[in-house]
Amino acid sequence: MIRDYTKINSFPHQLDNIKIGVISDTHIFDNSKHIPAKILEAFRQVNLIIHAGDCTSLKALEELKALCPHVVAVAGNMDLDEVRKKYPAKQLLEVLGYRIGVMHGFGSPAGLLELLVEAFKEDDCDLVIFGHSHRSFNEKVGGVLFFNPGSAIDPAAPFNSYGIIELTKMSPQAHDRQKGINARIVKI
């Protein structure tokens, strides 16, 4: 069963490539923390930004919206009520014909991948973007690319990072749609 996807169609029709900036686990509560300048500079060059949860307050999302008119987010387990009221825990998007699932995740990081596989098993996704573990991940599982950009600012993480995903428009009849997805982790 394929569920309804939010189609992101407000890009110019002539675009055959879309660049997505991906960030998660910023945990910005107040004005004392900001998204690192390197990430903000990189995100000035993207068509879409996806925040995979635990922005904590709306402040991080406001910083991102100042850079790019297209920002999609999900609520994470540490997000305040102001975020949870505005953003769902799970989103399904369609961008250039690619089906993208977005969910922060919860529970033990040891079982996170299994939780995500189960959460999106009936959604026919090409790509699943997630957060929660503060560890980057960029691997195919069962024909679906699972992508975690890691944490942008966690000092306890092995390294801080964000993600860039480039989508290339492909024919709907293409046998291996994964060839049109170029996803990479960027260490900062």
CSV table of all heavy atoms in Angstrom, one decimal, residues 109-168:
chain,number,residue,atom,x,y,z
A,109,PRO,N,19.4,3.5,20.4
A,109,PRO,CA,20.0,3.5,19.1
A,109,PRO,C,20.3,2.1,18.5
A,109,PRO,O,20.4,2.0,17.3
A,109,PRO,CB,21.3,4.3,19.4
A,109,PRO,CG,21.0,5.2,20.6
A,109,PRO,CD,20.1,4.3,21.4
A,110,ALA,N,20.5,1.1,19.4
A,110,ALA,CA,20.8,-0.2,18.9
A,110,ALA,C,19.7,-0.8,18.1
A,110,ALA,O,19.9,-1.6,17.2
A,110,ALA,CB,21.1,-1.1,20.1
A,111,GLY,N,18.4,-0.4,18.3
A,111,GLY,CA,17.3,-0.9,17.5
A,111,GLY,C,16.7,0.1,16.6
A,111,GLY,O,15.6,-0.2,16.0
A,112,LEU,N,17.4,1.2,16.4
A,112,LEU,CA,16.8,2.3,15.6
A,112,LEU,C,16.6,1.9,14.1
A,112,LEU,O,15.5,2.2,13.6
A,112,LEU,CB,17.8,3.5,15.6
A,112,LEU,CG,17.3,4.8,14.9
A,112,LEU,CD1,16.0,5.2,15.5
A,112,LEU,CD2,18.4,5.9,15.1
A,113,LEU,N,17.5,1.2,13.5
A,113,LEU,CA,17.3,0.9,12.1
A,113,LEU,C,16.1,-0.1,11.9
A,113,LEU,O,15.3,0.1,11.0
A,113,LEU,CB,18.6,0.2,11.5
A,113,LEU,CG,18.6,0.1,10.0
A,113,LEU,CD1,18.4,1.4,9.3
A,113,LEU,CD2,19.9,-0.6,9.6
A,114,GLU,N,16.0,-1.0,12.8
A,114,GLU,CA,14.8,-2.0,12.7
A,114,GLU,C,13.5,-1.2,12.9
A,114,GLU,O,12.5,-1.5,12.2
A,114,GLU,CB,14.9,-3.1,13.8
A,114,GLU,CG,16.1,-4.0,13.5
A,114,GLU,CD,17.5,-3.5,13.9
A,114,GLU,OE1,17.6,-2.5,14.6
A,114,GLU,OE2,18.4,-4.1,13.5
A,115,LEU,N,13.5,-0.2,13.8
A,115,LEU,CA,12.3,0.6,14.1
A,115,LEU,C,11.9,1.4,12.8
A,115,LEU,O,10.7,1.4,12.4
A,115,LEU,CB,12.6,1.6,15.2
A,115,LEU,CG,11.4,2.5,15.5
A,115,LEU,CD1,11.1,2.6,17.0
A,115,LEU,CD2,11.8,3.9,15.1
A,116,LEU,N,12.9,1.9,12.1
A,116,LEU,CA,12.6,2.7,10.9
A,116,LEU,C,12.2,1.8,9.7
A,116,LEU,O,11.3,2.2,9.0
A,116,LEU,CB,13.9,3.5,10.5
A,116,LEU,CG,14.3,4.6,11.5
A,116,LEU,CD1,15.7,5.0,11.3
A,116,LEU,CD2,13.3,5.8,11.4
A,117,VAL,N,12.8,0.7,9.6
A,117,VAL,CA,12.4,-0.3,8.6
A,117,VAL,C,10.9,-0.6,8.8
A,117,VAL,O,10.1,-0.6,7.8
A,117,VAL,CB,13.3,-1.5,8.5
A,117,VAL,CG1,12.7,-2.6,7.7
A,117,VAL,CG2,14.7,-1.2,8.1
A,118,GLU,N,10.5,-0.9,10.0
A,118,GLU,CA,9.1,-1.2,10.3
A,118,GLU,C,8.2,0.0,10.1
A,118,GLU,O,7.1,-0.2,9.5
A,118,GLU,CB,9.0,-1.7,11.8
A,118,GLU,CG,7.6,-2.1,12.2
A,118,GLU,CD,7.1,-3.3,11.5
A,118,GLU,OE1,7.9,-4.1,11.0
A,118,GLU,OE2,5.8,-3.5,11.5
A,119,ALA,N,8.6,1.2,10.5
A,119,ALA,CA,7.8,2.4,10.3
A,119,ALA,C,7.5,2.7,8.9
A,119,ALA,O,6.4,3.2,8.6
A,119,ALA,CB,8.5,3.5,11.0
A,120,PHE,N,8.4,2.4,8.0
A,120,PHE,CA,8.2,2.8,6.6
A,120,PHE,C,8.0,1.6,5.6
A,120,PHE,O,8.0,1.7,4.4
A,120,PHE,CB,9.5,3.6,6.1
A,120,PHE,CG,9.6,4.9,6.7
A,120,PHE,CD1,10.4,5.2,7.8
A,120,PHE,CD2,8.8,6.0,6.2
A,120,PHE,CE1,10.5,6.4,8.4
A,120,PHE,CE2,8.8,7.2,6.8
A,120,PHE,CZ,9.7,7.5,7.9
A,121,LYS,N,7.8,0.4,6.2
A,121,LYS,CA,7.7,-0.8,5.4
A,121,LYS,C,6.6,-0.8,4.3
A,121,LYS,O,6.7,-1.4,3.3
A,121,LYS,CB,7.6,-2.1,6.2
A,121,LYS,CG,6.2,-2.3,6.9
A,121,LYS,CD,6.2,-3.5,7.7
A,121,LYS,CE,4.9,-3.7,8.4
A,121,LYS,NZ,4.9,-4.9,9.3
A,122,GLU,N,5.5,0.0,4.5
A,122,GLU,CA,4.4,0.0,3.6
A,122,GLU,C,4.4,1.3,2.8
A,122,GLU,O,3.4,1.6,2.1
A,122,GLU,CB,3.1,-0.2,4.3
A,122,GLU,CG,3.1,-1.6,5.0
A,122,GLU,CD,1.7,-2.1,5.3
A,122,GLU,OE1,0.7,-1.6,4.6
A,122,GLU,OE2,1.6,-3.0,6.1
A,123,ASP,N,5.4,2.1,2.9
A,123,ASP,CA,5.4,3.4,2.3
A,123,ASP,C,6.2,3.5,0.9
A,123,ASP,O,6.2,4.6,0.3
A,123,ASP,CB,5.9,4.5,3.3
A,123,ASP,CG,5.0,4.6,4.5
A,123,ASP,OD1,3.8,4.6,4.3
A,123,ASP,OD2,5.6,4.7,5.6
A,124,ASP,N,6.8,2.5,0.5
A,124,ASP,CA,7.4,2.5,-0.8
A,124,ASP,C,8.4,3.6,-1.0
A,124,ASP,O,8.5,4.3,-2.0
A,124,ASP,CB,6.4,2.5,-2.0
A,124,ASP,CG,6.9,2.1,-3.3
A,124,ASP,OD1,7.9,1.3,-3.3
A,124,ASP,OD2,6.5,2.6,-4.3
A,125,CYS,N,9.3,3.8,0.0
A,125,CYS,CA,10.3,4.9,0.0
A,125,CYS,C,11.5,4.5,-0.8
A,125,CYS,O,11.9,3.3,-0.8
A,125,CYS,CB,10.7,5.2,1.4
A,125,CYS,SG,9.5,5.9,2.5
A,126,ASP,N,12.1,5.5,-1.4
A,126,ASP,CA,13.4,5.3,-2.1
A,126,ASP,C,14.5,5.7,-1.1
A,126,ASP,O,15.6,5.2,-1.2
A,126,ASP,CB,13.5,6.3,-3.3
A,126,ASP,CG,12.5,6.0,-4.3
A,126,ASP,OD1,12.5,4.9,-4.9
A,126,ASP,OD2,11.7,6.9,-4.6
A,127,LEU,N,14.2,6.6,-0.1
A,127,LEU,CA,15.1,7.1,0.8
A,127,LEU,C,14.4,7.4,2.1
A,127,LEU,O,13.3,7.9,2.1
A,127,LEU,CB,15.6,8.5,0.2
A,127,LEU,CG,16.4,9.4,1.1
A,127,LEU,CD1,17.7,8.8,1.5
A,127,LEU,CD2,16.7,10.7,0.3
A,128,VAL,N,15.1,7.0,3.2
A,128,VAL,CA,14.5,7.3,4.6
A,128,VAL,C,15.6,8.2,5.3
A,128,VAL,O,16.8,7.8,5.4
A,128,VAL,CB,14.2,6.1,5.4
A,128,VAL,CG1,13.9,6.4,6.8
A,128,VAL,CG2,13.1,5.3,4.7
A,129,ILE,N,15.2,9.4,5.8
A,129,ILE,CA,16.1,10.3,6.5
A,129,ILE,C,15.7,10.2,8.0
A,129,ILE,O,14.5,10.3,8.3
A,129,ILE,CB,16.0,11.7,5.9
A,129,ILE,CG1,16.5,11.7,4.5
A,129,ILE,CG2,16.7,12.7,6.8
A,129,ILE,CD1,16.2,13.0,3.8
A,130,PHE,N,16.7,10.1,8.9
A,130,PHE,CA,16.4,10.0,10.3
A,130,PHE,C,17.5,10.6,11.1
A,130,PHE,O,18.5,11.1,10.6
A,130,PHE,CB,16.2,8.5,10.7
A,130,PHE,CG,17.4,7.6,10.5
A,130,PHE,CD1,18.1,7.3,11.7
A,130,PHE,CD2,17.8,7.2,9.3
A,130,PHE,CE1,19.2,6.4,11.6
A,130,PHE,CE2,18.9,6.3,9.2
A,130,PHE,CZ,19.6,6.0,10.3
A,131,GLY,N,17.3,10.7,12.4
A,131,GLY,CA,18.3,11.2,13.3
A,131,GLY,C,18.4,10.4,14.6
A,131,GLY,O,18.5,9.2,14.5
A,132,HIS,N,18.4,11.0,15.7
A,132,HIS,CA,18.3,10.4,17.1
A,132,HIS,C,19.6,9.8,17.6
A,132,HIS,O,19.9,10.0,18.8
A,132,HIS,CB,17.2,9.3,17.1
A,132,HIS,CG,16.9,8.7,18.4
A,132,HIS,ND1,16.5,9.6,19.5
A,132,HIS,CD2,16.9,7.5,18.9
A,132,HIS,CE1,16.3,8.8,20.6
A,132,HIS,NE2,16.6,7.6,20.3
A,133,SER,N,20.3,9.1,16.8
A,133,SER,CA,21.5,8.4,17.4
A,133,SER,C,22.7,9.3,17.5
A,133,SER,O,23.7,8.9,18.2
A,133,SER,CB,21.9,7.2,16.4
A,133,SER,OG,22.4,7.7,15.2
A,134,HIS,N,22.7,10.5,16.9
A,134,HIS,CA,23.8,11.4,16.8
A,134,HIS,C,25.0,10.8,16.1
A,134,HIS,O,26.1,11.3,16.2
A,134,HIS,CB,24.3,11.9,18.2
A,134,HIS,CG,23.2,12.7,18.9
A,134,HIS,ND1,23.6,13.7,19.8
A,134,HIS,CD2,21.9,12.7,18.9
A,134,HIS,CE1,22.5,14.2,20.3
A,134,HIS,NE2,21.4,13.6,19.7
A,135,ARG,N,24.8,9.8,15.3
A,135,ARG,CA,25.8,9.1,14.5
A,135,ARG,C,25.4,9.1,13.1
A,135,ARG,O,24.3,8.7,12.8
A,135,ARG,CB,26.0,7.6,15.0
A,135,ARG,CG,26.3,7.5,16.5
A,135,ARG,CD,27.7,6.9,16.7
A,135,ARG,NE,28.0,6.6,18.1
A,135,ARG,CZ,28.5,7.4,19.0
A,135,ARG,NH1,28.6,8.7,18.7
A,135,ARG,NH2,28.8,7.0,20.2
A,136,SER,N,26.3,9.4,12.2
A,136,SER,CA,25.9,9.4,10.8
A,136,SER,C,25.8,8.0,10.3
A,136,SER,O,26.4,7.1,10.8
A,136,SER,CB,27.0,10.2,10.0
A,136,SER,OG,28.3,9.6,10.1
A,137,PHE,N,24.9,7.9,9.2
A,137,PHE,CA,24.6,6.6,8.6
A,137,PHE,C,24.2,6.8,7.2
A,137,PHE,O,23.4,7.7,6.9
A,137,PHE,CB,23.5,5.9,9.4
A,137,PHE,CG,23.2,4.5,9.0
A,137,PHE,CD1,24.0,3.4,9.6
A,137,PHE,CD2,22.3,4.2,8.1
A,137,PHE,CE1,23.7,2.1,9.2
A,137,PHE,CE2,22.0,2.8,7.7
A,137,PHE,CZ,22.8,1.8,8.3
A,138,ASN,N,24.8,6.1,6.2
A,138,ASN,CA,24.5,6.3,4.8
A,138,ASN,C,24.6,4.9,4.1
A,138,ASN,O,25.6,4.6,3.5
A,138,ASN,CB,25.4,7.3,4.3
A,138,ASN,CG,25.2,7.7,2.8
A,138,ASN,OD1,24.1,7.4,2.3
A,138,ASN,ND2,26.1,8.4,2.2
A,139,GLU,N,23.6,4.1,4.2
A,139,GLU,CA,23.6,2.7,3.7
A,139,GLU,C,22.3,2.3,3.2
A,139,GLU,O,21.2,2.7,3.7
A,139,GLU,CB,24.0,1.8,4.8
A,139,GLU,CG,25.5,1.9,5.3
A,139,GLU,CD,25.8,0.9,6.3
A,139,GLU,OE1,25.3,-0.2,6.3
A,139,GLU,OE2,26.7,1.2,7.1
A,140,LYS,N,22.3,1.4,2.2
A,140,LYS,CA,21.1,0.8,1.7
A,140,LYS,C,20.7,-0.4,2.5
A,140,LYS,O,21.6,-1.2,2.9
A,140,LYS,CB,21.4,0.3,0.2
A,140,LYS,CG,20.8,1.1,-0.8
A,140,LYS,CD,20.9,0.3,-2.1
A,140,LYS,CE,21.2,1.2,-3.3
A,140,LYS,NZ,21.1,0.4,-4.6
A,141,VAL,N,19.5,-0.5,2.8
A,141,VAL,CA,18.9,-1.6,3.5
A,141,VAL,C,17.7,-2.1,2.8
A,141,VAL,O,16.7,-1.3,2.6
A,141,VAL,CB,18.6,-1.3,5.0
A,141,VAL,CG1,17.9,-2.5,5.7
A,141,VAL,CG2,19.8,-0.8,5.7
A,142,GLY,N,17.7,-3.3,2.3
A,142,GLY,CA,16.5,-3.8,1.5
A,142,GLY,C,16.1,-2.9,0.3
A,142,GLY,O,15.0,-2.8,0.1
A,143,GLY,N,17.1,-2.4,-0.3
A,143,GLY,CA,16.8,-1.6,-1.5
A,143,GLY,C,16.4,-0.1,-1.3
A,143,GLY,O,16.2,0.6,-2.2
A,144,VAL,N,16.4,0.3,0.0
A,144,VAL,CA,16.1,1.6,0.4
A,144,VAL,C,17.4,2.3,1.0
A,144,VAL,O,18.0,1.6,1.9
A,144,VAL,CB,15.0,1.7,1.4
A,144,VAL,CG1,14.7,3.1,1.9
A,144,VAL,CG2,13.7,1.0,0.9
A,145,LEU,N,17.7,3.5,0.7
A,145,LEU,CA,18.8,4.2,1.3
A,145,LEU,C,18.3,4.8,2.6
A,145,LEU,O,17.4,5.6,2.6
A,145,LEU,CB,19.3,5.3,0.3
A,145,LEU,CG,20.5,6.1,0.9
A,145,LEU,CD1,21.7,5.2,1.1
A,145,LEU,CD2,20.9,7.2,-0.1
A,146,PHE,N,19.0,4.5,3.7
A,146,PHE,CA,18.8,5.0,5.0
A,146,PHE,C,19.9,6.0,5.3
A,146,PHE,O,21.1,5.7,5.2
A,146,PHE,CB,18.7,3.9,6.1
A,146,PHE,CG,17.4,3.2,6.1
A,146,PHE,CD1,17.2,2.2,5.1
A,146,PHE,CD2,16.4,3.5,6.9
A,146,PHE,CE1,16.0,1.5,5.1
A,146,PHE,CE2,15.2,2.8,6.9
A,146,PHE,CZ,14.9,1.9,6.0
A,147,PHE,N,19.5,7.3,5.7
A,147,PHE,CA,20.5,8.3,5.8
A,147,PHE,C,20.3,9.1,7.1
A,147,PHE,O,19.2,9.6,7.3
A,147,PHE,CB,20.3,9.3,4.6
A,147,PHE,CG,21.4,10.4,4.5
A,147,PHE,CD1,22.6,10.1,3.9
A,147,PHE,CD2,21.1,11.6,5.0
A,147,PHE,CE1,23.6,11.1,3.9
A,147,PHE,CE2,22.1,12.6,5.0
A,147,PHE,CZ,23.3,12.4,4.4
A,148,ASN,N,21.3,9.2,7.9
A,148,ASN,CA,21.3,10.0,9.1
A,148,ASN,C,22.5,10.9,9.0
A,148,ASN,O,23.6,10.5,8.9
A,148,ASN,CB,21.5,9.1,10.4
A,148,ASN,CG,21.4,9.8,11.7
A,148,ASN,OD1,21.7,11.0,11.8
A,148,ASN,ND2,21.1,9.1,12.7
A,149,PRO,N,22.2,12.2,9.1
A,149,PRO,CA,23.3,13.2,8.9
A,149,PRO,C,24.3,13.3,10.1
A,149,PRO,O,25.3,13.9,10.1
A,149,PRO,CB,22.6,14.5,8.7
A,149,PRO,CG,21.3,14.4,9.5
A,149,PRO,CD,21.0,12.9,9.3
A,150,GLY,N,23.9,12.6,11.2
A,150,GLY,CA,24.7,12.8,12.5
A,150,GLY,C,24.2,14.0,13.2
A,150,GLY,O,23.2,14.7,12.8
A,151,SER,N,24.9,14.4,14.2
A,151,SER,CA,24.5,15.6,15.0
A,151,SER,C,25.4,16.8,14.6
A,151,SER,O,26.6,16.6,14.4
A,151,SER,CB,24.7,15.4,16.5
A,151,SER,OG,24.5,16.6,17.2
A,152,ALA,N,24.8,17.9,14.4
A,152,ALA,CA,25.5,19.1,14.0
A,152,ALA,C,26.3,19.7,15.1
A,152,ALA,O,27.3,20.4,14.8
A,152,ALA,CB,24.5,20.1,13.5
A,153,ILE,N,25.9,19.5,16.4
A,153,ILE,CA,26.6,20.3,17.4
A,153,ILE,C,26.9,19.5,18.7
A,153,ILE,O,27.4,20.0,19.7
A,153,ILE,CB,25.8,21.6,17.8
A,153,ILE,CG1,24.5,21.2,18.4
A,153,ILE,CG2,25.7,22.5,16.6
A,153,ILE,CD1,23.7,22.5,18.9
A,154,ASP,N,26.7,18.2,18.7
A,154,ASP,CA,26.9,17.4,20.0
A,154,ASP,C,28.3,17.2,20.2
A,154,ASP,O,29.0,16.5,19.5
A,154,ASP,CB,26.2,16.0,19.8
A,154,ASP,CG,26.3,15.2,21.0
A,154,ASP,OD1,26.9,15.6,22.1
A,154,ASP,OD2,25.8,14.0,21.0
A,155,PRO,N,28.9,17.7,21.3
A,155,PRO,CA,30.3,17.6,21.6
A,155,PRO,C,30.7,16.1,22.0
A,155,PRO,O,31.8,15.8,21.9
A,155,PRO,CB,30.5,18.5,22.8
A,155,PRO,CG,29.2,18.8,23.4
A,155,PRO,CD,28.2,18.6,22.3
A,156,ALA,N,29.7,15.3,22.4
A,156,ALA,CA,30.0,13.9,22.7
A,156,ALA,C,30.0,13.0,21.5
A,156,ALA,O,30.4,11.8,21.6
A,156,ALA,CB,28.9,13.4,23.7
A,157,ALA,N,29.5,13.5,20.3
A,157,ALA,CA,29.5,12.7,19.1
A,157,ALA,C,30.9,12.4,18.6
A,157,ALA,O,31.8,13.3,18.9
A,157,ALA,CB,28.6,13.4,18.0
A,158,PRO,N,31.2,11.3,17.9
A,158,PRO,CA,32.5,11.1,17.4
A,158,PRO,C,33.0,12.3,16.5
A,158,PRO,O,34.2,12.6,16.5
A,158,PRO,CB,32.4,9.8,16.6
A,158,PRO,CG,31.1,9.2,17.0
A,158,PRO,CD,30.2,10.3,17.6
A,159,PHE,N,32.1,12.9,15.8
A,159,PHE,CA,32.3,14.1,15.0
A,159,PHE,C,31.0,14.7,14.7
A,159,PHE,O,30.0,14.1,14.8
A,159,PHE,CB,33.1,13.8,13.7
A,159,PHE,CG,32.4,12.8,12.8
A,159,PHE,CD1,31.5,13.1,11.9
A,159,PHE,CD2,32.8,11.4,12.9
A,159,PHE,CE1,30.8,12.2,11.1
A,159,PHE,CE2,32.2,10.5,12.1
A,159,PHE,CZ,31.2,10.9,11.2
A,160,ASN,N,31.0,16.0,14.4
A,160,ASN,CA,29.8,16.7,14.1
A,160,ASN,C,29.7,16.7,12.6
A,160,ASN,O,30.7,16.8,11.8
A,160,ASN,CB,29.8,18.1,14.6
A,160,ASN,CG,29.7,18.2,16.1
A,160,ASN,OD1,30.4,18.9,16.8
A,160,ASN,ND2,28.9,17.3,16.7
A,161,SER,N,28.5,16.7,12.1
A,161,SER,CA,28.3,16.6,10.6
A,161,SER,C,26.9,17.0,10.2
A,161,SER,O,26.0,17.2,11.0
A,161,SER,CB,28.5,15.1,10.2
A,161,SER,OG,27.7,14.2,10.9
A,162,TYR,N,26.7,17.1,8.9
A,162,TYR,CA,25.4,17.3,8.3
A,162,TYR,C,25.4,16.5,7.0
A,162,TYR,O,26.4,15.8,6.7
A,162,TYR,CB,25.2,18.8,8.0
A,162,TYR,CG,26.1,19.5,7.1
A,162,TYR,CD1,25.8,19.6,5.7
A,162,TYR,CD2,27.4,19.9,7.5
A,162,TYR,CE1,26.7,20.2,4.8
A,162,TYR,CE2,28.3,20.6,6.6
A,162,TYR,CZ,27.9,20.7,5.3
A,162,TYR,OH,28.8,21.3,4.4
A,163,GLY,N,24.3,16.6,6.2
A,163,GLY,CA,24.3,15.8,5.0
A,163,GLY,C,23.9,16.6,3.8
A,163,GLY,O,23.2,17.7,3.9
A,164,ILE,N,24.4,16.2,2.7
A,164,ILE,CA,23.9,16.8,1.4
A,164,ILE,C,23.5,15.6,0.5
A,164,ILE,O,24.2,14.6,0.4
A,164,ILE,CB,25.1,17.5,0.6
A,164,ILE,CG1,25.6,18.7,1.4
A,164,ILE,CG2,24.7,17.9,-0.8
A,164,ILE,CD1,24.6,19.9,1.5
A,165,ILE,N,22.2,15.7,0.0
A,165,ILE,CA,21.7,14.7,-0.9
A,165,ILE,C,21.3,15.4,-2.2
A,165,ILE,O,20.6,16.4,-2.2
A,165,ILE,CB,20.4,14.1,-0.3
A,165,ILE,CG1,20.7,13.4,1.0
A,165,ILE,CG2,19.8,13.1,-1.3
A,165,ILE,CD1,19.5,12.8,1.8
A,166,GLU,N,21.8,14.8,-3.3
A,166,GLU,CA,21.5,15.4,-4.6
A,166,GLU,C,20.6,14.3,-5.3
A,166,GLU,O,21.0,13.2,-5.4
A,166,GLU,CB,22.8,15.7,-5.4
A,166,GLU,CG,23.6,16.8,-4.7
A,166,GLU,CD,24.9,17.0,-5.4
A,166,GLU,OE1,24.9,17.8,-6.4
A,166,GLU,OE2,25.9,16.5,-5.0
A,167,LEU,N,19.5,14.8,-5.8
A,167,LEU,CA,18.6,13.9,-6.6
A,167,LEU,C,18.6,14.4,-8.0
A,167,LEU,O,18.5,15.5,-8.3
A,167,LEU,CB,17.1,14.1,-6.0
A,167,LEU,CG,16.9,13.8,-4.6
A,167,LEU,CD1,15.4,14.1,-4.2
A,167,LEU,CD2,17.3,12.4,-4.2
A,168,THR,N,18.7,13.4,-8.9
A,168,THR,CA,18.7,13.6,-10.3
A,168,THR,C,17.4,13.0,-10.9
A,168,THR,O,17.1,11.8,-10.6
A,168,THR,CB,19.9,12.9,-11.0
A,168,THR,OG1,21.1,13.5,-10.5
A,168,THR,CG2,19.9,13.2,-12.5
